[in-house]
Amino acid sequence: MENPAETYGKLVFNDATMRECLPSEAYNTLKATIREGKDIDLRIANIVANCMKDWAVKNGATHFSHWFQPLTGATAEKHESFLTPQKDGTAIMEFSGKELIKGEPDASSFPSGGLRATFEARGYTAWDPTSYAFIKEGTLCIPTAFYSYSGEALDKKTPLLKSMEALSEQAVRILRLFGNHTVKRVVPTVGLEQEYFLIDKKLFEKRLDLKLCGRTLFGAPSPKGQELDDHYFGTIKPRVSEFMRTLDSELWKLGVSARTRHNEVAPAQHELAPLFTTVNLGVDQNQLMMEEMKKIADSLGLACLLHEKPFGGVNGSGKHNNWSIQTDTGINLLDPGVSPSENAQFILFLTAVIRAVDKYQRLLRLSAASASNDCRLGGDEAPPATVTIFLGDELISILDSISRGVKAKGKGAQKMVINVHVLPNIPKDSTDRNRTSPMAFTGNKFEFRMLGSSFNAAGPNIVLNTAVAEVLEDFANTLEQAPDFDKALNDLVRKTYLKHRKILFNGNNYGAEWQKEAARRGLHNLATTVDAVDSLIDPKNIRLLEHFGVLGKTELIARREVILDSYCKTVMIEASTMFDMVAKSVIPFSNRYLKQLCDTVSALRAGLKGAACESQLKLIRGFSEHLESLDRTMETLCEANRNAAAMDSSKEKAVYCRDVLLGAMAQARRDCDWLESHCSRECWGLPTYEDLLFSV
Ligand code: ADP
Ligand code: MG
């Protein structure tokens, strides 16, 4: 086997490659562009493009593509060949600076939420030099932002980059107040833990629901599920192990530092976590990771499921967004540090996050909302829909003592900031125990756990970055003018903590008592996507995002439309798929068994005069009752799907999809599951939960 350290990043036009290939002037200009977010001039772009192309061709590429993330949440690419025919019948490989910097894919069919009509559907892509270009399947992929003719963002990356800028600017202001004059930029960092299921491809192919919807729409529970907790961290089976090895190796070549891999709680469920990196790169790499997972699974006769709830009755999959803020000098601002000054600075940043999350809890909730994640959140396996922060007892007691003005004893030699001198080194153990919290402080970062496994992680990071930027801006405005910095800092921390401590909760977020307590505290409980979606057009939230130029009002209105539209379509496709499967599988299978039962009764009666056939008759009655009930539900479902399709208002339609369509599907599922669990294995032609969960 090749040494992975030698092939790591082999397919990435990373810093080392750039330094090697580029003339030093071009290299330095490009680095400055990356560092300071400046525009690059065409002369340098031409040099960079040419080097990139030479490197890519040497590594087997024939095409290039602007790689972007439209509002579908997936990635998009359109390949163009480097090949340029010459007059004499030969050809050369060419790639210009212009082609590197800007592209114009015909983009009429991407969701835009009404921002563009099809006839004026010009869309542009613009190179993002802060995320490295890479080679995928013989194509040089250039990470790009995607926007409309009139400049509106049509993707997830544009607002993410803007939110990072906003956070950097405000965080640097705060650092200056603490006497730091060296830091030029601050970047949010992210480590995205990715959960997924692996099942056998042949079985996957037999289930229309898995193929079209990514999840099973019905399925009687397997006699054994996750009760024994024997899968979590269990020995990895050979086929899965082969998958993981291949995946790691491919990801490493793409410069994705896949680090941790293990079996998860549900049978057939696994997790991969990379090392953290900047938010922009982390999100891009996570998209790449999901794509590789699907592709490699397929090549090994497996199917990788990224849906948030592929199976009822066992855990679904999430994506944990570990988030922190780091200076360009490598200091983690959410690390408590060791000196009093570092501690005070840490407390200030910590307080900023608390306030940001409390103030923008609805927006954060929405950032983790989708029809598929609605199936998982709040189900005693994932955080509820109410956003809270877990800090641990130690930090809470420190904040408490600050708020009560209890002076910590100690020497005054060092600059006395905040009433605590040196915070105890906060042990990770005391902070990362609470697995039920939507947002847990885990020693030197926050772990936001509401995201669904299939998500593009840009959304939650846009909200976190921008909301924290706003609080830091406010803090900086106050502190910069304060005649007595220490006193002002103390006051600020105290006031902020007292006002926003309602968002802090160390207890069990899954408990029923918590729901009541959360309501008493006035926290939002937005159970579904439909409940959460209007937070995008809440004036407070529009103000926040507009203030930092992250997203404007029209863009937010459009994004709300996109979310509602995707929600409705998802539910309606599920309803149609269920209808199809009931008609073509569930009913015929049940009838086949019913016929066998009836034949058995006739045979028994012929052979044994006066045979009561009670057990058979009971089953026959059961089958016919459930089939009748299913038939009625299918009529409702069909009609409801037609009604939904005819509705104009997207919000009204979404409410209808949630209440009527999903309601009818739940009813149909009860009948299907009864029929499946009473039917003979021979007659039931679909892979069952035990087949799907225990076959790899
Ligand atoms: P756990 O399963 O306990 O949550 P893991 O080790 O699986 O822990 O995942 C932790 C994730 O957090 C990793 O991706 C790691 O790189 C990331 N992480 C660590 N430090 C930071 C940081 N400062 N900023 C962002 N992410 C971080
Ligand atoms: Mg985790």
Side-chain angles (χ1 to χ4, degrees):
M1 195 198 149
E2 58 194 1
N3 176 355
E6 280 162 21
T7 49
Y8 186 82
K10 177 180 156 213
L11 299 176
V12 189
F13 196 66
N14 56 22
D15 194 48
T17 312
M18 285 188 236
R19 204 169 17 202
E20 198 186 300
C21 319
L22 290 171
S24 60
E25 187 209 359
Y27 173 76
N28 291 333
T29 316
L30 183 58
K31 285 299 277 184
T33 306
I34 295 172
R35 227 177 15 246
E36 290 145 36
K38 284 198 196 121
D39 280 345
I40 198 158
D41 72 62
L42 196 59
R43 191 177 60 85
I44 300 288
N46 276 326
I47 301 175
V48 176
N50 196 45
C51 284
M52 235 187 216
K53 180 256 310 172
D54 287 344
W55 166 82
V57 170
K58 206 166 70 199
N59 285 283
T62 52
H63 288 68
F64 73 92
S65 169
H66 278 196
W67 185 75
F68 57 102
Q69 297 165 34
L71 297 179
T72 53
T75 57
E77 51 193 78
K78 177 181 157 202
H79 301 181
E80 290 190 58
S81 143
F82 292 126
L83 206 71
T84 316
Q86 304 294 292
K87 282 205 180 88
D88 63 358
T90 58
I92 55 167
M93 298 297 250
E94 250 184 349
F95 184 45
S96 71
K98 233 174 93 204
E99 289 170 307
L100 167 64
I101 292 177
K102 193 170 171 183
E104 196 207 320
D106 173 23
S108 48
S109 293
F110 291 114
S112 74
L115 276 182
R116 303 161 314 151
T118 322
F119 60 89
E120 52 187 26
R122 229 185 257 256
Y124 297 98
T125 47
W127 177 34
D128 164 24
T130 62
S131 181
Y132 299 128
F134 55 90
I135 300 172
K136 187 166 64 86
E137 309 273 324
T139 296
L140 171 70
C141 296
I142 299 149
T144 50
F146 179 47
Y147 57 98
S148 73
Y149 183 68
S150 39
E152 288 108 351
L154 295 173
D155 70 347
K156 308 251 172 187
K157 186 188 271 282
T158 309
L160 182 65
L161 290 172
K162 288 180 176 165
S163 74
M164 291 171 74
E165 278 309 308
L167 180 62
S168 176
E169 193 180 320
Q170 302 309 326
V172 168
R173 281 177 72 192
I174 297 287
L175 293 178
R176 296 284 182 268
L177 289 164
F178 282 90
N180 186 329
H181 294 281
T182 47
V183 167
K184 288 202 191 65
R185 281 174 73 80
V186 164
V187 282
T189 52
V190 77
L192 290 157
E193 299 164 60
Q194 178 71 47
E195 292 180 341
Y196 60 96
F197 279 83
L198 277 184
I199 62 168
D200 191 90
K201 188 167 140 190
K202 286 199 206 79
L203 300 175
F204 170 84
E205 297 285 351
K206 288 190 184 143
R207 298 239 6 173
L208 193 66
D209 47 5
L210 283 175
K211 281 206 300 190
L212 300 188
C213 313
R215 70 169 174 126
T216 53
L217 297 172
F218 54 84
S222 159
K224 177 181 188 273
Q226 63 187 46
E227 304 81 352
L228 297 177
D229 287 328
D230 51 352
H231 194 254
Y232 191 53
F233 285 13
T235 313
I236 298 168
K237 293 200 186 125
R239 278 180 84 188
V240 176
S241 186
E242 187 189 3
F243 166 85
M244 289 177 167
R245 274 199 310 274
T246 317
L247 178 62
D248 281 350
S249 149
E250 290 307 308
L251 289 175
W252 289 336
K253 284 185 213 154
L254 287 164
V256 181
S257 51
R259 179 109 180 156
T260 316
R261 56 191 196 196
H262 61 82
N263 286 351
E264 257 299 331
V265 173
Q269 193 187 28
H270 316 278
E271 181 183 300
L272 170 62
L275 266 188
F276 71 94
T277 178
T278 67
V279 162
N280 181 36
L281 198 57
V283 171
D284 283 0
Q285 293 190 339
N286 179 255
Q287 292 293 123
L288 207 51
M289 185 195 277
M290 292 193 286
E291 194 181 316
E292 288 295 320
M293 282 177 162
K294 294 249 173 203
K295 201 168 73 189
I296 290 165
D298 192 64
S299 75
L300 296 174
L302 298 164
C304 173
L305 310 180
L306 291 172
H307 191 284
E308 282 71 14
K309 193 74 182 171
F311 306 100
V314 297
N315 277 11
S317 299
K319 172 148 39 209
H320 291 175
N321 191 92
N322 295 276
W323 179 91
S324 190
I325 331 174
Q326 197 171 76
T327 65
D328 55 2
T329 52
I331 300 162
N332 179 353
L333 296 172
L334 291 177
D335 193 297
V338 286
S339 72
S341 169
E342 282 167 353
N343 285 175
Q345 189 182 291
F346 161 72
I347 290 287
L348 190 67
F349 278 103
L350 185 77
T351 323
V353 177
I354 295 171
R355 173 160 158 199
V357 171
D358 185 33
K359 190 165 171 195
Y360 295 105
Q361 38 175 297
R362 295 173 64 216
L363 206 52
L364 199 56
R365 160 67 184 102
L366 174 73
S367 75
S370 71
S372 53
N373 210 22
D374 282 1
C375 305
R376 164 183 166 263
L377 288 184
D380 279 7
E381 52 165 296
T386 300
V387 176
T388 55
I389 294 179
F390 170 87
L391 276 192
D393 295 336
E394 210 155 356
L395 276 178
I396 298 236
S397 85
I398 289 164
L399 289 170
D400 254 334
S401 67
I402 295 172
S403 73
R404 281 184 286 112
V406 183
K407 286 236 190 271
K409 299 175 258 67
K411 3 165 201 43
Q414 281 171 302
K415 196 169 181 233
M416 160 68 190
V417 262
I418 308 205
N419 301 320
V420 262
H421 270 265
V422 180
L423 292 179
N425 204 344
I426 302 182
K428 286 206 170 62
D429 282 0
S430 76
T431 57
D432 74 356
R433 288 280 180 249
N434 190 323
R435 291 274 160 194
T436 68
S437 176
M439 178 119 175
F441 182 72
T442 52
N444 58 5
K445 62 187 187 302
F446 278 95
E447 181 170 352
F448 183 53
R449 299 188 178 124
M450 283 173 112
L451 270 80
S453 45
S454 68
F455 272 51
N456 178 311
N461 289 295
I462 293 170
V463 178
L464 284 172
N465 296 344
T466 317
V468 173
E470 189 208 60
V471 178
L472 293 177
E473 178 182 51
D474 197 45
F475 282 4
N477 288 344
T478 306
L479 294 173
E480 278 166 358
Q481 284 158 20
D484 178 346
F485 178 74
D486 288 357
K487 183 174 176 311
L489 183 62
N490 255 309
D491 285 351
L492 195 58
V493 170
R494 192 184 65 247
K495 274 199 219 131
T496 311
Y497 170 70
L498 290 176
K499 181 153 180 218
H500 297 286
R501 66 177 165 188
K502 67 172 190 300
I503 199 79
L504 302 176
F505 180 58
N506 281 349
N508 177 12
N509 284 259
Y510 296 174
E513 319 81 67
W514 166 239
Q515 299 275 330
K516 278 185 231 142
E517 165 68 8
R520 201 189 53 74
R521 290 191 192 184
L523 297 175
H524 290 282
N525 180 7
L526 306 171
T528 66
T529 304
V530 186
D531 299 301
V533 74
D534 283 342
S535 54
L536 273 187
I537 48 167
D538 179 305
K540 179 172 87 177
N541 299 336
I542 296 179
R543 228 177 298 128
L544 168 76
L545 294 159
E546 279 198 325
H547 176 65
F548 289 104
V550 172
L551 284 167
K553 186 173 175 180
T554 23
E555 290 165 310
L556 288 165
I557 293 173
R559 272 160 210 252
R560 174 180 172 277
E561 271 312 304
V562 172
I563 292 174
L564 285 169
D565 187 55
S566 142
Y567 180 88
C568 295
K569 284 178 178 156
T570 304
V571 177
M572 288 165 73
I573 290 170
E574 287 184 347
S576 304
T577 306
M578 188 152 208
F579 188 84
D580 192 278
M581 289 178 81
V582 166
K584 294 179 185 150
S585 300
V586 176
I587 294 177
F589 299 159
S590 303
N591 283 338
R592 199 190 295 172
Y593 187 51
L594 207 46
K595 169 143 193 326
Q596 284 184 7
L597 287 171
C598 294
D599 290 350
T600 309
V601 171
S602 312
L604 269 172
R605 284 190 175 152
L608 188 67
K609 283 260 159 342
C613 301
E614 266 169 40
S615 69
Q616 288 81 4
L617 290 175
K618 193 171 149 206
L619 256 183
I620 291 171
R621 265 195 302 277
F623 266 86
S624 71
E625 273 165 27
H626 283 280
L627 282 168
E628 266 166 38
S629 155
L630 191 56
D631 186 55
R632 283 192 300 274
T633 313
M634 283 304 114
E635 259 172 43
T636 313
L637 197 64
C638 214
E639 192 193 313
N641 227 359
R642 270 197 308 273
N643 292 344
M647 284 180 172
D648 287 332
S649 147
S650 51
K651 180 72 185 291
E652 197 190 323
K653 187 171 178 170
V655 170
Y656 187 82
C657 284
R658 179 193 63 189
D659 297 343
V660 182
L661 275 181
L662 287 177
M665 283 166 65
Q667 170 62 40
R669 176 172 188 147
R670 281 191 286 274
D671 289 320
C672 291
D673 290 357
W674 188 95
L675 293 165
E676 180 186 335
S677 56
H678 289 80
C679 188
S680 76
R681 198 169 280 281
E682 179 201 18
C683 292
W684 196 260
L686 284 172
T688 62
Y689 268 27
E690 51 273 27
D691 298 333
L692 294 165
L693 291 169
F694 294 96
S695 291
V696 172

